[in-house]
Amino acid sequence: MTNFTFSTVAHIISETGASARLGALCAAHFPQVHNAMLITDAGFLGTGLVAQPQHSLREAGIAVHVYSDVVADPPEAVVLAAVDFARTHAIDLVIGLGGGSSMDVAKLVAVLAGSGQPINEIYGIGNVNGARLPLVQVPTTAGTGSEVTNIAIVTTGATTKSGVVSAQLYADIAVLDAALTLGLPPLVTAATGIDAMVHAIEAYTSQHKKNPMSDMLARQALTLISSNLVTACRDGANLAARQAMLLGACYAGQAFSNAPVAAVHALAYPIGGVFHVPHGLSNALVLPHVLRFNASHAADHYGELAGILAPAATGSNEAKTAALIAAMEELAATVGIATTLRQVGITEADLDRLADDAMLQTRLLGNNPRALTRADAYAIYRAAL
Ligand SMILES: NC(=O)c1ccc[n+]([C@@H]2O[C@H](COP(=O)([O-])OP(=O)(O)OC[C@H]3O[C@@H](n4cnc5c(N)ncnc54)[C@H](O)[C@@H]3O)[C@@H](O)[C@H]2O)c1
Ligand SMILES: [Fe+2]
């Protein structure tokens, strides 16, 4: 039996409608707090769905300061502005209410406003010092799993993404409420759902920290997401499918927080950073090509996952891997997302820059089941064009 350690968020509430009692939940867990910062973005604020959790916090005697200046793939300047806001308003409870971008900003606000550590000291693994403010995460996309991960991703400089990985980034409470995801447009539902599937697939083949609990969660995540994604895209009001998607994304987040993601994410980040392609779509565009590249080193594990994603597949693990890749390609086509880099405006002339940037993602590339050179990265982008 493999030795391993596994960490996650202590309190997870998976309940449709739970965000309407967010105030009571927070008051019960943190009787000492008075001043909450609700961190979201303009897109989610525009849905009007902030009102109910905001009201419930006020009912529980907690003042609410809404901060809605988060943008997708948040740049460092947005994080720093949010930290200033927290200090100005003497915030003592941080709530991320949104997709991965809002939840990642919430993590960093809780850490930086709590400890006073400068942001440039915390990039990398295990560099956060001191305590953070109480932190509650409420996802409104079923994708990143950020509500249960110890990771925050920041766009540093013009286009590069850097990660902060530290135990303090685990929230105190994660609340999964499908009512908040009903208005998520079909293409965002699709791309964020495929991001979660990529988390599960990459956790399952993670080179150094693959472990039995992450494996179990990854498999269950793929079961839930593969059987609910198309329904959630076609019938966005289907609460059962939406709740299953949130739970699947949460499982995948728990899986990869302990068995980290690899080359799919490493090659996706430059696509997001340079071309502002949403994170889930960036992953989906390179996924089949990275799986094909990895197949020689991971076919046994991919063959196991084919049992979930391509159950009719038979024969060798190589044949099952091919069926798994075909199933993911078919899923992307069914939900209607872009399937080539050209469709998102990338040309052959851009591939050198993408390959250079991907090689900077050493934290992620080190987790890949097969070592990947710059020439390999270029060839994968070329195949994805
Ligand atoms: N911390 C982690 O573990 C982790 C993991 C994967 C990705 N990420 C990061 O998360 C970010 C991506 O997060 P994301 O994919 O959730 O997207 P996002 O948070 O950037 O949001 C995408 C869009 O969806 C809109 N939106 C969100 N919820 C909505 C709803 N319920 N109804 C209508 N519109 C809604 C937002 O306004 C935004 O325009 C990236 O920065 C990525 O690097 C973090
Ligand atoms: Fe991701």
Side-chain angles (χ1 to χ4, degrees), residues 41 43 73 99-101 104 140-141 144 146 149 151 161 180 184 279:
D41 66 10
D73 304 303
S101 300
D104 283 4
T140 67
T141 62
T144 68
S146 177
T149 72
I151 304 162
K161 282 197 161 193
L180 299 174
L184 202 59
H279 173 74

Side-chain angles (χ1 to χ4, degrees), residues 111-361:
V111 159
L112 296 172
S115 73
Q117 200 181 4
I119 194 166
N120 60 348
E121 281 184 9
I122 67 172
Y123 293 112
I125 301 174
N127 295 326
V128 171
N129 295 329
R132 58 156 172 75
L133 296 175
L135 176 64
V136 178
Q137 297 282 30
V138 189
T140 67
T141 62
T144 68
S146 177
E147 69 277 9
V148 287
T149 72
N150 59 346
I151 304 162
I153 309 289
V154 181
T155 304
T156 46
T159 56
T160 316
K161 282 197 161 193
S162 302
V164 179
V165 184
S166 247
Q168 289 94 328
L169 269 54
Y170 281 119
D172 296 298
I173 309 174
V175 180
L176 314 179
D177 176 3
L180 299 174
T181 68
L182 292 180
L184 202 59
L187 289 179
V188 185
T189 302
T192 48
I194 290 176
D195 181 29
M197 295 179 85
V198 173
H199 296 156
I201 294 169
E202 294 212 282
Y204 204 76
T205 56
S206 197
Q207 179 69 10
H208 304 294
K209 293 194 176 168
K210 178 176 167 65
N211 67 80
M213 282 187 71
S214 287
D215 286 352
M216 179 178 73
L217 290 157
R219 296 177 65 91
Q220 190 57 23
L222 290 173
T223 302
L224 278 172
I225 298 170
S226 63
S227 49
N228 286 282
L229 180 61
V230 174
T231 307
C233 291
R234 290 189 178 155
D235 174 16
N238 185 320
L239 271 175
R242 291 290 198 183
Q243 194 70 42
M245 288 297 299
L246 271 176
L247 188 58
C250 176
Y251 286 163
Q254 291 177 301
F256 91 87
S257 196
N258 293 279
V261 292
V264 180
H265 274 74
L267 270 70
Y269 279 155
I271 299 172
V274 180
F275 294 94
H276 302 291
V277 174
H279 173 74
L281 179 56
S282 306
N283 275 313
L285 289 168
V286 293
L287 173 68
H289 310 285
V290 174
L291 295 184
R292 244 173 237 123
F293 171 80
N294 285 347
S296 58
H297 289 60
D300 48 347
H301 293 141
Y302 291 155
E304 288 167 16
L305 296 182
I308 300 166
L309 297 175
T314 53
S316 65
N317 281 329
E318 286 68 24
K320 289 181 182 166
T321 298
L324 169 88
I325 296 168
M328 290 307 296
E329 287 179 322
E330 195 183 316
L331 183 61
T334 304
V335 296
I337 58 170
T339 53
T340 67
L341 295 180
R342 278 203 182 89
Q343 285 173 287
V344 297
I346 296 172
T347 67
E348 186 134 25
D350 301 313
L351 302 188
D352 271 312
R353 181 177 181 192
L354 289 175
D356 285 342
D357 281 8
M359 295 316 288
L360 300 176
Q361 297 295 335

